[in-house]
């Protein structure tokens, strides 16, 4: 684990507005800057409520973001951007919409394709303004510089990281999450929990980030059961929105580890929602890594207010068995092979994990 003498770079959106009822500030901010050609990138449900952003000018909504966006989905959004030529791109939705918006903001007119920019800091620049407005409390993507898109040819996630994809403005309005159903609330909440926990226990963990990570875990422990039980609980929704934001802070300089690497094939191969995939895997990677980060694992469980992560996740009403999520048992070895190849995450896991150990993890979760 790193210590106080280890260098670290912290990047944040230029401005963050947090609080119930702040969504209309997006329109105010855009009008002040004379941004009139606006492209909103959203899924279908959020496309229908773009009016909450109080936008003025020529507003176009690309409302076809998929839950696990792939290259064809990105291409469709880029085609709309090429036609509209926006001076402002707004990501409006869950992590998928926010991730796609980042790429829509930097690729048009750049001469670069998605394959040109995979990896760290390969994006040439950005010519348009970028605003991010999350409507779930999970990914924290509004605060980060990464975007993930699935390549259908390989069924692998392509990861792009660039400071040019950092939002000029992030507006976190917990009121936008009030309509998220209990199952999605639970899954996205555990995604935020996984971001904080994996950042907290990573080989790249840093005291500057530990502060956010541990508080994010505490917020999830305190407020996720409440939000699942009562979606109109404003305090619980705000607590989870803050936990998600803190999870996003963990992603930039530290990032995730085995939990996300093992979860990814569930989404790319079998379309298990990302948050749910992370939830199913979370207790297993936490237990696997515990011998290498014993004290930090104790702190995670204490912050959650539990002694058993599996029982805590199951108590939220989520299905925790792969066999019940449409994952065929004969595909587990292929999934283990794919997960083990995600070295950008596994190389920073606090404990080395083999392909056979990943397979054993899938079997325990099955």
């Amino acid at each position: 684990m790193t210590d106080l003498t280890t260098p670290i770079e912290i990047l944040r959106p230029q401005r963050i507005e947090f609080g119930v009822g702040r969504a209309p500030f997006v329109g105010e901010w855009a009008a002040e800057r004379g941004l009139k050609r606006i492209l909103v990138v959203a899924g279908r449900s959020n496309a229908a409520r773009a009016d909450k952003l109080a936008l003025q000018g020529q507003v176009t909504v690309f409302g076809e973001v998929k839950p696990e966006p792939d290259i064809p989905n990105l291409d469709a959004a880029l085609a709309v951007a090429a036609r509209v030529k926006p001076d402002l791109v707004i990501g409006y939705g869950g992590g998928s919409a926010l991730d796609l918006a980042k790429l829509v903001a930097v690729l048009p007119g750049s001469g670069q394709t998605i394959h040109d920019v995979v990896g760290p800091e390969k994006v040439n620049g950005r010519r348009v303004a970028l605003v991010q407005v999350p409507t779930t409390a999970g990914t924290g993507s509004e605060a980060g510089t990464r975007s993930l898109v699935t390549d259908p040819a390989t069924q692998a996630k392509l990861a792009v990281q660039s400071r040019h994809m950092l939002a000029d403005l992030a507006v976190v309005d917990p009121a936008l999450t009030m309509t998220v159903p209990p199952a999605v609330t639970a899954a996205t909440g555990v995604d935020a929990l996984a971001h904080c926990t994996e950042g907290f226990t990573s080989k790249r963990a840093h005291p500057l980030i530990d502060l956010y990570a541990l508080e994010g875990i505490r917020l999830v422990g305190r407020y996720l059961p409440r939000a699942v039980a009562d979606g109109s609980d404003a305090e619980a929704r705000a607590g989870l929105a803050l936990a998600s934001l803190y999870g996003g802070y963990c992603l930039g300089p530290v990032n995730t580890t085995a939990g996300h690497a093992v979860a990814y094939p569930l989404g790319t191969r079998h379309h298990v929602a990302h948050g749910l995939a992370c939830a199913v895997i979370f207790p297993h990677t936490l237990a696997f890594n515990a011998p290498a980060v014993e004290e930090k694992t104790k702190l995670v469980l204490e912050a959650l207010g539990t002694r058993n992560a599996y029982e805590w996740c199951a108590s939220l009403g989520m299905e925790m068995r792969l066999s019940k999520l449409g994952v065929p048992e004969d595909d587990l070895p292929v999934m283990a092979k794919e997960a083990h190849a995600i070295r950008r995450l596994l190389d920073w896991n606090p404990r080395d994990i083999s392909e056979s150990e990943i397979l054993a993890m899938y079997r325990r979760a099955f």
Side-chain angles (χ1 to χ4, degrees), residues 299-316:
L299 289 172
V300 169
L301 293 172
E302 287 174 5
L304 279 180
T306 186
R307 293 182 179 180
N308 188 307
Y310 183 92
E311 290 179 359
W312 189 86
C313 289
S315 73
L316 297 170

Side-chain angles (χ1 to χ4, degrees), residues 202-251:
S202 167
K203 287 181 181 177
R204 286 198 291 199
H206 194 284
L208 196 156
I209 295 300
D210 285 354
L211 177 74
Y212 295 111
L214 195 55
E215 181 59 18
I217 296 166
R218 288 195 187 102
L219 288 166
V220 173
R222 185 180 308 144
Y223 291 118
L224 184 54
R226 279 175 51 177
V228 170
D230 178 8
S232 65
D233 186 330
E235 183 183 42
R237 290 296 192 181
L240 290 178
L242 187 57
S244 180
L245 183 65
Y246 285 172
Y249 288 176
C250 296
L251 292 179

